[in-house]
Amino acid sequence: MRTSIATVCLSGTLEEKLRAAARAGFDGVEIFEQDLVVSPDSPEAIAKLAGELGISLDLYQPFRDLEGVEEAQFQKNLKRAETKFQLMARLGIDTILLCSNVGTATISDDGVVVEQLRRLGDLADSYGVNVAYEALAWGRFVSEYDHAWDLVKAADHPRIGTCLDSFHILSRNTDLSRIAEIPGEKIFFLQLADAPALTMDVLSWSRHHRVFPGEGAWDLSDFLTRIAATGYAGPVSLEVFNDSFRQGDTNRTAVDGLRSLRWLEASIADTPGKAAESQQSAGSAGPGSALDLQPLPEVEEPRGINYVELSTDDLGTLTRQMHQLGFQFIGYHRSKPHVQLWLRGQARIIVSEVTEEAGTTSAPVNGTFLRGIGFEVTDSQSAMDRAALLHAEEVPRDQAHDDEVLRGVFAPDGSEVFFHQFDAATPAWIKEFGHDHDEQVSHIDHVNLAQPSNHYDEAVLFYTSLLALHAQSSQDVPSPSGLVRSQVMSSTDGSVRMPLNVSPQPNAEAVAGRGIGSVVEAYPEHVAVACEDIFQAAATALSRGLDFLPVPQNYYEDLDSRFDLDLEFLQRLQENHVLYDWDEHGEFLHFYTSTIGSVFFEMIERRGDYLGFGAPDAPVRLAAQHRKNSQRGA
């Protein structure tokens, strides 16, 4: 499948955008007119640069407000179009995007529009240009793709085709069935964008909130399947207007965009029924007319969390808290003297002390932070191969000749994701710490990760595409600093659960550093450990002097009003700093520790089939952490 990206998706100069697209691996780009207008380089120089980079210039866009106007105005519009055709010849581009008229149309007459499209086609033919007519969702008289196709069909001109844009189609909830009527050769261009489910005017939605495929709420797999079935064989291009993208790192955004297209491509190619249907339909349109859909190495959902790694420059404080929670120190790694293993049943925490003597940092380190997660997968090699094809950066790892070979990649937030071959027995790497078995009591229930706001959608796509996790509906949790957006990524059976949070606090961006710099200021993350008896765990922690996160009296009074709890049970909850939630499936009991650096722990007990995370208690935690931080800074 040929991939392309509109330069409007990326930050930087036109030259920087072209280099980023080529570096990421795109086959071509759409030139957004404003990017060319503000460039000091000539069209010939831009064309030469694209050639040197090995990318094609696939589309010039946009041309606006052509049709549905009086004859005098149309003549002026044709003259304007001719100057663009001449410019395209200098760039070596043979297709232009024509948007349905938004600002100047005065004639609501399809016959007039058809005739004007035909005359534009005659002019375009003299320059060897194809015109892709697109219905903007807010077009004055043409706003639906099927209406635009009816006009193109009626014009019956070889130089006039249509452009299908997922945003303009899906944002209006247009019936998709008529896509099947469009011959693939009359689809002159295809543009893709996803979007979150928002209730707002479509123009603002389009200009500020588009995202890459897989990062929003739409079923783009179904959309692309329908396009493939027409026999369309041109570029599959991204056109995403997003404020964060246009402010972010150009190279990183380009990689995220290509990852989204490769994931989308594989979502069709990996589904035999869809692939066969697309190939059969496309094949009937003629040789070489089909999209060349390539699958990715198949991966199953992870079977569980193998371990969590924490890095710290405050080893004593962190390990003291883990001891208070019932974790047992197992030993140091045999070849890495600054790396420790702590166990509580099958909850495995690797602690790496970050010091300059350890050779693990070249910059001042401040705080404790979550360095990475090891996931249990059925085929670690396939998982790594898939990650590489999705352009994830591999984590460099030093290991002795007799250490288990472990491979992983960097997540968008800078943390590390490792793939461990699933084995019902104790993981082989534990022997490197002088240990050879796990107890079968505790385990890691979930890991809550903080995400920089400008990479939140990227993180959702990362875990969806690489690990086949599913994104649940997001929700907003109130905190003293504003609303915290939270979205759970999980496996179908719930063996892996990862709430992703993005905080309104500016210092949440520090999470991307993962400990290099002022991570102590980052929005906190936590590891939730399941246990069989929350009160026994709390009693052990109390006896060992754990600094619990304080829970106000008002919380327990409110708890009494919401649930019909036994008074003795309520008192027991309060005495042990335990919070409580209930739903029709079961109960959830949990307590929190104080935060060290940007990390804290949560001990939980699930009773029955409760599957949530105690969401009603999150505001209590956030407020308590805010008070603690304020006291620390005073």
Side-chain angles (χ1 to χ4, degrees), residues 77 180 234 238 247 249 259 267 324 393 401 434 542 561 623:
N77 292 346
L238 297 170
Q247 297 170 13
D249 179 84
R259 178 182 298 142
S267 72
Q324 291 163 340
E393 181 184 353
H401 72 280
L542 280 167
S561 69

Side-chain angles (χ1 to χ4, degrees), residues 168-214:
H168 294 297
I169 297 172
L170 299 177
S171 65
R172 295 183 62 90
N173 293 314
T174 310
D175 181 7
L176 302 182
S177 62
R178 291 201 61 199
I179 291 176
E181 300 177 16
I182 310 174
E185 64 270 16
K186 294 301 288 184
I187 301 175
F188 283 3
F189 211 73
L190 173 64
Q191 294 176 322
L192 296 181
D194 208 335
L198 299 174
T199 303
M200 63 190 310
D201 71 278
V202 69
L203 181 57
S204 298
W205 193 11
S206 171
R207 287 289 177 258
H208 303 285
H209 300 287
R210 298 193 196 191
V211 290
F212 292 137

Side-chain angles (χ1 to χ4, degrees), residues 95 241 312 326 434 443 483 522 631:
T95 305
F241 296 86
T312 184
H443 63 276
L483 292 178
Q631 293 167 3

Side-chain angles (χ1 to χ4, degrees), residues 18-87:
L18 293 178
R19 290 189 177 93
R23 190 177 295 114
F26 281 96
D27 299 304
V29 297
E30 307 175 30
I31 297 292
F32 194 71
E33 185 170 69
Q34 185 177 354
D35 287 324
L36 179 65
V37 169
V38 301
S39 173
D41 288 340
S42 68
E44 291 81 2
I46 294 299
K48 180 181 179 183
L49 175 60
E52 291 170 349
L53 293 172
I55 56 175
S56 58
L57 301 181
D58 297 329
L59 183 76
Y60 188 81
Q61 66 123 328
F63 191 84
R64 303 185 188 276
D65 298 336
L66 172 95
E67 80 290 9
V69 297
E70 299 292 342
E71 178 61 24
Q73 182 61 50
F74 184 68
Q75 288 291 339
K76 294 179 181 178
N77 292 346
L78 280 180
K79 182 174 179 58
R80 182 163 53 92
E82 186 169 20
T83 64
K84 299 305 177 186
F85 296 161
Q86 293 167 350
L87 173 62

Side-chain angles (χ1 to χ4, degrees), residues 38-149:
V38 301
S39 173
D41 288 340
S42 68
E44 291 81 2
I46 294 299
K48 180 181 179 183
L49 175 60
E52 291 170 349
L53 293 172
I55 56 175
S56 58
L57 301 181
D58 297 329
L59 183 76
Y60 188 81
Q61 66 123 328
F63 191 84
R64 303 185 188 276
D65 298 336
L66 172 95
E67 80 290 9
V69 297
E70 299 292 342
E71 178 61 24
Q73 182 61 50
F74 184 68
Q75 288 291 339
K76 294 179 181 178
N77 292 346
L78 280 180
K79 182 174 179 58
R80 182 163 53 92
E82 186 169 20
T83 64
K84 299 305 177 186
F85 296 161
Q86 293 167 350
L87 173 62
M88 291 168 61
R90 298 171 65 191
L91 287 164
I93 300 177
D94 63 6
T95 305
I96 190 170
L97 177 68
L98 170 64
C99 301
S100 62
N101 198 321
V102 172
T104 65
T106 58
I107 302 174
S108 179
D109 185 328
D110 283 0
V112 170
V113 173
V114 166
E115 179 60 24
Q116 290 178 344
L117 287 177
R118 191 177 291 126
R119 290 168 64 186
L120 177 67
D122 289 341
L123 177 63
D125 188 50
S126 65
Y127 285 92
V129 168
N130 295 318
V131 178
Y133 183 51
E134 171 187 64
L136 294 184
W138 52 90
R140 178 166 291 186
F141 299 127
V142 179
S143 58
E144 302 277 4
Y145 84 92
D146 49 354
H147 187 189
W149 163 239

Side-chain angles (χ1 to χ4, degrees), residues 27 30 115 138 142 151 172 188 253 321 349 365 426 436 470 481-482 574 577 593 596 616 626 630:
D27 299 304
E30 307 175 30
E115 179 60 24
W138 52 90
V142 179
L151 296 170
R172 295 183 62 90
F188 283 3
T253 304
Q321 188 177 87
I349 305 291
V365 176
T426 299
D436 60 4
H470 307 283
S481 302
Q574 186 170 359
H577 310 278
T593 70
I596 304 173
H626 178 78
S630 298

